[in-house]
Amino acid sequence: MKVTHMVENLDRGGLERMVIDLALLQQEGGHDCLVLCLFDQGALASELEARGIRVVACGKKTGLDLAAVARARRVLQSRRGVLHTHNAAAHYHAVLAAAGLGFDRILNTRHGMGGFDPRSRRERLYRASMRGTHAVVAVCEAARQRLKESGVKPRGGLLSIPNGIPVDRFEPAGPDARRALIDELGLDPAARLVGTVGRLHPAKDQATMLRAFRRLRDEVPEAVLLVVGDGHLRGGLEALAEAEGIAGDVRFLGDRGDVPRLVRGFEVFVLSSLTEGYSIALMEACAVGVPIVATAVGGTPEIVRHGV
């Protein structure tokens, strides 16, 4: 079967990691997979291309860009089969590009909880595209309920299917992994490692995490915070760490391709998000067995149970 995924791009993130893992599993199952990117390819596209899965970028510009829709349509004309889109903008652009082409199924996954305004242009276009949509999948039950309340009504139903990760990619956390990470980063051997993984984005609210860490550091002076991920907020967060007097105890490790190895060295995993769907980062922390402290938002209570 031909399976075409459409995303905004393949930059680092939970959505993008899910799409890559899914496409590779589908390829192993004998399906012909292709990933269509609405904007540019993104940093992770090479992972798929190295495995023989084609990635095509439509190069969409800001605002209405019919040329990008036309590029997508030229690719889709030779595909048919299943069109699986990811999040709102990719979906309504794909539905427009695929109109009349006779796809067997057009499916959409909404990967976040969605701190969206149902009255926004994006959400109105998304709801309008439901006429050409067989089913919508939310990644947690909380998100499914929110989509239902906002008026999302695909022809074939609104489902909840939790995210998953290939657990064989992860080894258990432990003192050896912790010591190795401490040595690698040149930290004091007595350091207590608190870590987080995610884009440096307002939705992740790392600013609150830094302020909370300052309070923790007052009680546990040997605590060190490791921030894995990058984004446009990095400069401001580094300045905040300086202002809070904790810059010497916070390491911004940037965008990393070895997250499973890093998380194995954490003593505690922290997620300070204001909104989440079904967090890949939290599942990775679960897979290595690291205790979690997280805000109870979106699908996070479906992963983390207090005291368990």
Side-chain angles (χ1 to χ4, degrees):
M1 178 184 293
K2 290 184 176 180
V3 180
T4 304
H5 293 275
M6 189 159 179
V7 297
E8 292 189 10
N9 58 40
L10 287 174
D11 282 334
R12 291 194 192 278
L15 179 161
E16 295 78 11
R17 174 52 53 196
M18 281 293 300
V19 171
I20 288 171
D21 288 343
L22 183 56
L24 290 173
L25 283 169
Q26 289 168 338
Q27 182 192 53
E28 290 174 12
H31 301 294
D32 173 3
C33 293
L34 180 146
V35 177
L36 194 55
C37 297
L38 185 59
F39 296 97
D40 58 329
Q41 282 192 335
L44 299 180
S46 59
E47 287 190 33
L48 290 177
E49 292 178 323
R51 299 280 293 274
I53 295 178
R54 187 177 167 211
V55 179
V56 179
C58 297
K60 183 185 178 304
K61 297 180 175 60
T62 303
L64 179 64
D65 186 351
L66 293 179
V69 174
R71 291 186 199 103
R73 187 173 180 84
R74 285 195 292 271
V75 174
L76 295 176
Q77 281 174 331
S78 64
R79 297 294 297 172
R80 307 300 196 279
V82 173
L83 176 56
H84 185 174
T85 69
H86 301 269
N87 277 354
H91 184 65
Y92 58 73
H93 280 89
V95 168
L96 178 60
L101 294 183
F103 274 84
D104 296 329
R105 289 287 185 275
I106 297 180
L107 314 172
N108 172 249
T109 296
R110 288 299 292 259
H111 287 263
M113 180 60 190
F116 53 78
D117 180 355
R119 299 165 298 178
S120 68
R121 176 177 174 273
R122 182 190 67 181
E123 295 303 323
R124 284 187 283 111
L125 288 171
Y126 178 68
R127 287 195 299 274
S129 71
M130 290 299 105
R131 282 173 246 151
T133 306
H134 292 93
V136 170
V137 176
V139 295
C140 62
E141 181 58 23
R144 190 190 73 81
Q145 288 292 339
R146 181 164 187 148
L147 289 169
K148 180 180 178 181
E149 291 164 5
S150 72
V152 174
K153 297 177 180 178
R155 285 188 288 150
L158 180 57
L159 312 174
S160 171
I161 302 177
N163 285 336
I165 58 173
V167 294
D168 56 359
R169 186 183 296 164
F170 299 87
E171 297 179 24
D176 291 343
R178 196 164 299 127
R179 280 192 295 270
L181 187 53
I182 286 171
D183 291 344
E184 176 185 326
L185 298 175
L187 301 173
D188 187 301
R192 308 289 299 274
L193 302 184
V194 178
T196 189
V197 177
R199 294 170 298 133
L200 305 187
H201 184 276
K204 303 298 182 181
D205 196 18
Q206 286 99 350
T208 292
M209 179 185 62
L210 289 172
R211 296 186 181 100
F213 178 73
R214 176 186 55 77
R215 295 171 60 182
L216 171 67
R217 204 277 315 270
D218 290 344
E219 297 182 24
V220 187
E222 62 271 29
V224 175
L225 177 62
L226 306 179
V227 181
V228 181
D230 218 334
H232 69 281
L233 295 184
R234 179 164 178 168
L237 291 170
E238 289 175 332
L240 177 60
E242 190 74 43
E244 292 286 338
I246 56 174
D249 300 306
V250 179
R251 298 287 189 276
F252 288 88
L253 302 185
D255 189 17
R256 300 286 293 252
D258 57 346
V259 170
R261 184 184 67 84
L262 294 173
V263 176
R264 288 182 61 222
F266 295 175
E267 195 164 342
V268 176
F269 186 97
V270 180
L271 196 70
S272 53
S273 299
L274 297 172
T275 179
E276 279 290 343
Y278 203 84
S279 169
I280 300 295
L282 283 183
M283 286 194 293
E284 292 176 344
C286 291
V288 300
V290 176
I292 292 168
V293 176
T295 46
V297 296
T300 295
E302 297 175 35
I303 301 173
V304 181
R305 295 176 186 167
H306 186 59
V308 179

